Amino acid sequence: MKVLVPVKRVIDYNVKVRVKPDQSDVDLANVKMSMNPFDEIAVEEAVRLKEAGTAEEVIAVTIGPEKAQDQLRQALAMGADRAILIETTETVEPLSVAKLLAKVCEEESPQLVVMGKQAIDDDCNQTGQMLAALMGWPQGTFASAVTKEGDKLHVTREIDGGLQTVALNLPAVVTTDLRLNEPRYASLPNIMKAKKKPLDKKSPSDYGVEITARLKTLKVTEPPKREAGIKVGSVADLVEKLKNEAGVL
Amino acid sequence: MPNIISRRDLDFLLYEMLDAESLTQKPLYAEHSREVFDQIMETAEKLGENVFQPIAALTDREEPVFNNGRTILPEETKEALDAYVEAGFPAMSFPEDLGGLQLPYLISQGVGATMGAANGNVSGYMMLTGAAARLIIAHGSDEQIARFATPMIEGRWFGTMCLSEPQAGSSLADIRTKAERREDGTYKITGNKMWISGGEHDLSENIVHMVLAKVPGGPAGVKGISLYIVPKFIPDADGNPGERNDVVLAGLNHKMGNRATVNTVLNFGDKGGATGWLVGEEGMGLAAMFHMMNEARIAVGLGAASTAYTGYLHALAYAKDRKQGRALDDKNPENPMVPIIEHADVKRMLLQQKAYAEGAVALCLTGARMIDDEKTAEDEAEKAHLNLLLELLTPVMKSWPSEFGPRANDQAIQVHGGYGYTRDYPVERLYRDNRLNPIHEGTKGIQGLDLLGRKVVMKEGAAMKALDAEIRKTLDEASGLEAVAAHADTLKAYWEKLAATTMQMAGQAAKAGPKAYLANATIYLDAFGHVVVAWIWLRQAIVAARAMEAGTGEQNFYRGKLQACRYFFAYELPSVTPMLELLATLDTTCMEMDEAWF
Ligand SMILES: Cc1cc2nc3c(=O)[nH]c(=O)nc-3n(C[C@H](O)[C@H](O)[C@H](O)COP(=O)(O)OP(=O)(O)OC[C@H]3O[C@@H](n4cnc5c(N)ncnc54)[C@H](O)[C@@H]3O)c2cc1C
Ligand SMILES: Cc1cc2nc3c(=O)[nH]c(=O)nc-3n(C[C@H](O)[C@H](O)[C@H](O)COP(=O)(O)OP(=O)(O)OC[C@H]3O[C@@H](n4cnc5c(N)ncnc54)[C@H](O)[C@@H]3O)c2cc1C
C-alpha cells in the first residue's frame, strides 16, 4: 500500500509567538520554523507501517514556501521515500490545502493518507476532514492507535470520555493525535541518504487549484493578560458568582 | 532550545562568522550541504533537549557505584548513549572509507557544543571513544583499525585514554606501567593507571584502553614511552568480544562534579599480565598521543565553554523572572518590585557570562575551522601556516574556556542568589562540572609552560608571526566599520604590547635562565588568552556590525554581540595591562618564595 503524508512548516513550538507591530499578522521574520509536531507523528506512523511491511511506499507532500523543503527533507530522513513540494508563498487555508491534496491523491492513488489532526500555527483541525469529504473516503480522526486488520484499517480515536475504535475501508484518511507514537530522530546516515531521494517541485496551478484566501484577517492581537483571581467567602458566594457574573450556571 | 545553548548563536558562529558552507566547496566535504548540516544540528538539538539534559541532575545525584569489580551507573546513562549511537553521531567526523560520515570537524564541534551544554558528562564517553579511534587510525596498522577502531566508529565499543598514574599526572615521563614483548608479538602489560575516565562500565560491548607504558630497559623519560591497545575483552577470530583481558577495576574516584563520566583506578596484570598490542613503534607513544592532543584539547575547551553557556542561559532566564528591589531612582515602596535583570549590577554579571561563554565557544569553533582548513589546504605554505596557528592557539583554546568558563558559572550562581547555592537549580552542578576542566588534559600550569616555553618561541617565533598576520587581517576588515573601529585600535595596541612583552621576556631568558623565564607562565597564558579572545570578539562584532548595516532585521541579536564586545574591551581587556607589566620584569617573587616562609 502507498501512504501519503502531508506535512506543514510551522513556527517552532518552543518559540514565543509575537504579533507584528501593525497587527497584520504574527511576526515570522527570523523565527525558527519546524515540522508541525502532529505531522512528525504522522510521518513516524507511516514509516512504521512501512517497516512492518504493511506499506510499500511513503510519500511526503507539503504546500508552502521553498524553505518548506527543509521539512520534506526531514520527512525523507525519517524514512519517507520521496517528496512533493507544492510551492507557494500565499497563506493557504484548509480548504485550498484539502483541494490540492485531493488532486495529489487522484494522481498518486494512495491507499492511506496519514496527517496531523491540526497544525500548531493556526490550530484549524479541518484539513483531514475536508480531504476525506472531497475524496469521499472514510476518516479516522484523532488517532491514538492504527492497525491493519485484513482489508480494514482499525483506528483507535481519542474522543471525549474515552477511546473509540473504528474500522475503515481503504482508501482512508487518518489524522494523528499526540499519543499515537513518539517520532524518531532523523539519524545522520538517513539525513545523508535523504539528500538523494527524489523531491518533485510543483505549483498550485499545476493542479488547477485556485488558492485565493476566502477569509480576511482584520487584526491580530495578543491574548488578553490573565487577571488575578479572587477569593470567595463561601460556597454560596461561589455559586452566586458563577450564575450572575460568569454566567456559566 | 530551553537554556541549553543558543542555536541562533551557533548558526551565527558556524555560518556568518566561520562560513561553514564554504567547506562544502572542498573535495573532502563535497558530499555535504548546508541543509545536511542544519538537519544534523537539529537532531543534536532534539537529543540534547529530550534525552541528555533531562537526566543531567539525576546522573549527578546518582554517582557511579563500585560493586565487586564493576561499575553500577544509572540506566538513564546507557539509554542516552544508546540514542546517541543510534542517531549515528559516533561516526560523524570519520572518513567515509572507514564507515564515517566525513563531516567537517567544525560541524562535529557544533554538535559537541550542543551535547556538552546539554550534559557533557554523559557525552564525555563518546568524546573519549572518538579520540581513541582517531589515535588508532593515525598510528595503528590496518588490522588494528579494522579490529579496534571500526567498532568504536560504529559506537559499539567505547574507548579510554590511560596516561595518568598515581605518581605520574603532569609528569608523564615518570610513568611505571611496563610492557614486555612476548613471542607472538603481543605485549604483556602490568601496572596501575589512575584517573581513567570511562575505565569500566557496561555501557558498551567492549572497552578499548589506549595505554602508555614503558618497555623495561628502554630509554629513560618520554623517549621510553610506547602506546598500546589493551581491550577489556580480547576480540575473537570473528572480531567479537572474547576472553576477558587482565584489566581489573580497583576502585572509583569520588568527584566534585563530572559524575556521570565514571572515573576509575585500573590495575593491569594483577593475574599475570594483560595483553596489549603496540601501536606504531616503540618509544613513539607520547608523540602519537600528542599528535591527537590538538583535537582533544579543543574539545575540552569547548566542553568548558558550553557548560558556561548553559549556565549563562539559566541565569538569564532566572533574572528575567525573579523580582527583587526597585529602580534606584524609584522612592515609592508601593510600586511593585522589578525583575532583577533591570539592575545594572545583574546586567553586569550577565554580560560577563555572555562575554566569556560566547567568546569561548567562538574561540573553539574558530580552532575547529582551522583544523578543517589545515586538512583541506591545497598548498603547503597554507597548511604550514594553519599548523603553526593551531600549535600556538591550542593551549589557549584548552585553557581560556577552562579558566573563564567556571568563572561564568560562578556568576550564574550569584545571579540566582541563595537559590543558586542549592541543588534545586542546576547552576551549582554546572560549576562543579566545569571546575574539572583546568585540571585534566594538561593542567593550566602545564598549558602555560607549553605556550611560553615552546609555542611562542618555536621556529624563531614563526607561530607568533602567523597569528600576527591573522590579527592584522581582522584589523583591516574593521577599519571601515564605524561601530568597531575603536575596538580595532585598542586590540592593535594590546597585541603589539603583548608581542613586545614577549620579546622583552625572551631577551632576558638567556641570562635569567628558564626557571625565571617560565616562573609566571600561567599569568602569561591568561594575558595571551584575553588578547586572543578580544580578537575573537572583534571578529564577531565585525560580522554583527555588517549585518546591522545591511539591515537584516534581528537587530537585537546583533546589538547583543556588539554590546558584549564592548563589555569585553572595556571591562576585561584592561586587566591584561598589569599582567604584562609584571611579566616584562620576569618578576621572581613567587619563584624565590622559600617553602619555609609559608
Ligand atoms: C575527572 C578526571 C578525569 C581524568 N581523566 C583522565 C583520563 O581519562 N586518562 C588519563 O590518563 N588521565 C585522566 N585524568 C588525569 C589528569 O590528566 C591529571 O589529573 C592531570 O594531568 C594532573 O595530574 P595530577 O592529578 O597527578 O596532578 P599533579 O601533576 O600532581 O599536579 C598538581 C599541581 O602541580 C602542578 N604541577 C605539576 N607539575 C608541574 C610542573 N612541572 N611545573 C609546574 N607546575 C606543575 C599542576 O599544574 C597542578 O596544579 C583525569 C583527571 C580527572 C580529575
Ligand atoms: C546557605 C544559606 C543560608 C542562609 N541563612 C539565612 C538565615 O539564617 N537567615 C536569613 O534570614 N536568611 C538566610 N539566607 C538568605 C540570604 O541572606 C539570601 O539568600 C540573600 O540575602 C540573597 O537573597 P536571595 O537569595 O533572595 O537573592 P535575590 O535577592 O533574589 O538576589 C538575586 C541576585 O539579584 C541581585 N539583586 C537583588 N536585588 C538587587 C538590587 N536591588 N540591586 C542590584 N542587584 C540586586 C543580587 O545581588 C543577586 O545577585 C541564607 C541563604 C543561604 C544560601
Side-chain angles (χ1 to χ4, degrees):
Chain A
M1 131 175 131
K2 211 190 232 187
V3 184
L4 184 75
V5 189
V7 300
K8 185 177 185 187
R9 176 182 174 85
V10 298
I11 194 161
D12 187 80
Y13 72 98
N14 269 321
V15 173
K16 194 167 175 288
V17 179
R18 278 176 225 285
V19 172
K20 281 187 183 166
D22 68 1
Q23 300 196 321
S24 62
D25 204 347
V26 298
D27 193 354
L28 291 183
N30 304 305
V31 163
K32 187 176 177 212
M33 305 294 281
S34 298
M35 189 192 295
N36 178 36
F38 291 102
D39 302 349
E40 281 191 329
I41 294 172
V43 175
E44 177 67 33
E45 198 62 21
V47 172
R48 287 188 191 183
L49 286 171
K50 188 178 170 193
E51 285 168 347
T54 311
E56 284 87 48
E57 191 184 25
V58 177
I59 308 161
V61 56
T62 194
I63 297 141
E66 205 208 337
K67 280 298 268 174
Q69 277 189 66
D70 293 353
Q71 281 62 48
L72 290 177
R73 289 282 170 213
Q74 185 191 338
L76 294 171
M78 288 173 74
D81 298 290
R82 60 188 172 92
I84 305 167
L85 168 67
I86 305 174
E87 198 179 327
T88 172
T89 49
E90 305 277 313
T91 312
V92 272
E93 289 169 2
L95 185 59
S96 307
V97 175
K99 283 181 182 170
L100 281 166
L101 292 176
K103 292 287 180 192
V104 176
C105 285
E106 281 165 19
E107 218 172 82
E108 296 282 353
S109 320
Q111 286 290 95
L112 179 64
V113 180
V114 191
M115 55 204 288
K117 71 167 182 181
Q118 67 196 70
I120 62 164
D121 49 1
D122 49 23
D123 279 338
C124 283
N125 193 341
Q126 297 168 354
T127 311
Q129 295 87 332
M130 287 174 170
L131 174 63
L134 288 173
M135 296 303 293
W137 290 354
Q139 55 181 290
T141 49
F142 320 140
S144 65
V146 174
T147 50
K148 180 125 186 280
E149 308 272 344
D151 56 357
K152 304 249 188 228
L153 195 72
H154 286 214
V155 177
T156 304
R157 309 179 57 228
E158 301 200 0
I159 56 169
D160 287 347
L163 297 173
Q164 175 195 49
T165 303
V166 293
L168 308 180
N169 289 322
L170 295 172
V173 176
V174 169
T175 74
T176 61
D177 217 321
L178 273 186
R179 279 152 292 266
L180 179 58
N181 60 48
E182 211 177 296
R184 71 194 61 193
Y185 305 107
S187 76
L188 275 52
N190 288 340
I191 290 170
M192 299 291 293
K193 278 184 213 139
K195 263 188 74 170
K196 301 198 172 82
K197 292 182 179 175
L199 193 158
D200 275 353
K201 290 187 191 170
K202 304 268 187 174
S203 74
S205 59
D206 293 340
Y207 295 96
V209 174
E210 178 57 57
I211 59 165
T212 330
R214 283 146 198 262
L215 297 173
K216 199 173 144 205
T217 302
L218 301 178
K219 191 165 91 170
V220 177
T221 57
E222 302 256 351
K225 280 228 156 59
R226 270 179 66 173
E227 307 257 328
I230 53 157
K231 255 192 184 152
V232 289
S234 64
V235 175
D237 262 6
L238 174 67
V239 173
E240 196 272 331
K241 282 193 189 306
L242 288 175
K243 247 193 193 136
N244 300 324
E245 282 179 32
V248 294
L249 286 183
Chain B
M1 199 183 285
N3 301 337
I4 294 179
I5 197 164
S6 160
R7 176 71 188 279
R8 178 65 191 89
D9 192 23
L10 283 180
D11 283 350
F12 170 82
L13 297 174
L14 293 176
Y15 302 111
E16 294 172 66
M17 175 172 159
L18 298 168
D19 195 12
E21 243 179 307
S22 67
L23 286 168
T24 62
Q25 308 294 316
K26 317 239 177 177
L28 188 65
Y29 301 131
E31 275 292 292
H32 297 291
S33 63
R34 167 82 191 253
E35 289 70 39
V36 165
F37 298 160
D38 282 347
Q39 278 192 297
I40 288 171
M41 289 298 291
E42 198 78 28
T43 295
E45 207 175 332
K46 283 186 183 157
L47 208 62
E49 193 176 316
N50 301 331
V51 182
F52 277 71
Q53 191 196 41
I55 65 167
L58 177 136
T59 52
D60 175 65
R61 196 169 59 238
E62 295 185 16
E63 209 179 348
V65 175
F66 176 80
N67 185 328
N68 212 358
R70 292 182 52 197
T71 302
I72 313 294
L73 291 165
E75 304 168 4
E76 285 81 355
T77 308
K78 182 160 168 52
E79 286 164 13
L81 288 165
D82 285 351
Y84 186 89
V85 170
E86 202 172 307
F89 283 111
M92 66 184 154
S93 54
F94 288 100
E96 247 172 47
D97 55 9
L98 295 175
L101 293 167
Q102 208 155 308
L103 267 187
Y105 190 68
L106 176 58
I107 300 299
S108 78
Q109 293 307 289
V111 170
T114 307
M115 304 318 293
N119 187 343
N121 305 333
V122 169
S123 61
Y125 290 96
M126 301 318 304
M127 217 174 86
L128 288 159
T129 301
R134 250 182 273 283
L135 199 48
I136 297 175
I137 292 167
H139 302 284
S141 65
D142 288 347
E143 195 209 334
Q144 287 171 341
I145 293 172
R147 228 169 150 207
F148 297 105
T150 303
M152 289 198 278
I153 294 172
E154 290 166 359
R156 292 187 289 116
W157 298 4
F158 287 2
T160 74
M161 294 290 163
C162 299
L163 290 72
S164 308
E165 296 180 6
Q167 82 295 342
S170 300
S171 272
L172 288 172
D174 296 273
I175 59 164
R176 289 185 198 140
T177 297
K178 273 194 305 197
E180 293 158 285
R181 199 183 162 85
R182 291 183 182 136
E183 297 267 298
D184 65 357
T186 65
Y187 285 74
K188 177 178 137 183
I189 312 286
T190 46
N192 308 313
K193 289 288 174 182
M194 178 64 174
W195 298 120
I196 307 311
S197 296
E200 172 55 34
H201 54 70
D202 299 322
L203 297 168
S204 56
E205 295 167 23
N206 201 357
I207 303 175
V208 180
H209 303 289
M210 304 302 297
V211 181
L212 290 185
K214 285 181 169 175
V215 177
V222 296
K223 290 196 177 72
I225 298 178
S226 309
L227 175 65
Y228 298 89
I229 297 170
V230 185
K232 172 179 171 182
F233 295 107
I234 295 173
D236 63 19
D238 301 326
N240 296 316
E243 191 192 328
R244 184 75 160 86
N245 207 351
D246 189 5
V247 185
V248 177
L249 177 67
L252 302 182
N253 291 309
H254 300 284
K255 293 170 293 165
M256 175 181 184
N258 183 249
R259 289 181 173 166
T261 311
V262 64
N263 192 277
T264 63
V265 185
L266 294 180
N267 289 351
F268 291 80
D270 268 5
K271 298 171 200 148
T275 299
W277 283 265
L278 177 69
V279 179
E281 288 165 35
E282 275 185 20
M284 297 301 292
L286 205 60
M289 213 39 125
F290 278 127
H291 178 197
M292 289 298 102
M293 280 304 184
N294 278 357
E295 289 178 30
R297 288 188 167 155
I298 295 178
V300 169
L302 190 66
S306 40
T307 305
Y309 211 123
T310 183
Y312 157 57
L313 294 182
H314 282 293
L316 179 61
Y318 185 84
K320 287 179 184 168
D321 196 51
R322 171 71 171 169
K323 293 192 178 66
Q324 201 73 184
R326 290 167 186 81
L328 287 172
D329 53 5
D330 177 359
K331 301 287 178 238
N332 183 359
E334 301 265 335
N335 281 342
M337 297 198 290
V338 299
I340 57 171
I341 196 165
E342 292 183 19
H343 302 307
D345 187 53
V346 173
K347 290 186 200 178
R348 174 189 61 79
M349 292 190 278
L350 291 169
L351 258 176
Q352 185 182 355
Q353 291 171 64
K354 183 175 166 75
Y356 288 171
E358 294 181 9
V361 171
L363 170 70
C364 295
L365 293 183
T366 300
R369 166 86 211 205
M370 286 177 186
I371 287 184
D372 284 321
D373 285 336
E374 188 195 14
K375 258 187 217 161
T376 56
E378 273 155 28
D379 83 81
E380 285 308 311
E382 178 66 6
K383 213 181 193 81
H385 172 71
L386 286 157
N387 186 271
L388 282 170
L389 279 174
L390 279 163
E391 287 285 344
L392 183 66
L393 292 178
T394 295
V396 177
M397 290 189 281
K398 194 271 167 183
S399 290
W400 198 88
S402 301
E403 179 65 33
F404 294 93
R407 291 201 205 177
N409 289 120
D410 176 76
Q411 290 301 299
I413 295 174
Q414 193 63 20
V415 169
H416 281 72
Y419 301 93
Y421 191 67
T422 68
R423 270 172 282 176
D424 300 328
Y425 288 82
V427 285
E428 63 83 32
R429 167 171 52 79
L430 295 169
Y431 176 79
R432 287 187 286 109
D433 286 346
N434 217 352
R435 190 58 188 81
L436 166 63
N437 288 314
I439 298 172
H440 68 158
E441 283 288 341
T443 62
K444 188 175 177 197
I446 296 300
Q447 303 295 332
L449 294 176
D450 182 39
L451 179 67
L452 186 61
R454 292 181 48 224
K455 303 300 174 60
V456 301
V457 291
M458 70 190 278
K459 301 184 181 157
E460 282 146 22
M464 286 293 273
K465 285 192 198 107
L467 181 58
D468 183 70
E470 291 297 313
I471 290 180
R472 291 200 188 273
K473 242 192 266 172
T474 306
L475 296 177
D476 286 347
E477 283 175 33
S479 64
L481 283 165
E482 203 191 322
V484 296
H487 295 327
D489 292 340
T490 310
L491 176 64
K492 182 166 181 283
Y494 275 93
W495 169 243
E496 283 170 1
K497 199 160 168 201
L498 173 65
T501 305
T502 310
M503 294 295 284
Q504 253 174 302
M505 293 171 76
Q508 300 166 75
K511 196 155 147 251
K515 271 179 83 175
Y517 171 64
L518 292 170
N520 299 309
T522 301
I523 294 172
Y524 183 82
L525 177 64
D526 277 342
F528 196 100
H530 257 49
V531 174
V532 167
V533 173
W535 167 54
I536 295 290
W537 264 114
L538 180 59
R539 287 180 59 182
Q540 296 187 72
I542 290 171
V543 178
R546 283 190 185 142
M548 300 242 329
E549 276 188 1
T552 41
E554 284 190 290
Q555 299 283 309
N556 287 339
F557 176 81
Y558 296 115
R559 285 194 114 107
K561 285 286 178 198
L562 289 174
Q563 198 74 0
C565 179
R566 181 175 154 195
Y567 170 87
F568 198 86
F569 275 77
Y571 287 67
E572 293 289 332
L573 194 55
S575 70
V576 168
T577 302
M579 293 191 228
L580 293 180
E581 279 165 11
L582 181 93
L583 288 164
T585 64
L586 295 191
D587 191 289
T588 51
T589 307
C590 297
M591 189 183 98
E592 284 169 1
M593 176 71 184
D594 195 287
E595 209 181 304
W597 305 341
F598 278 105

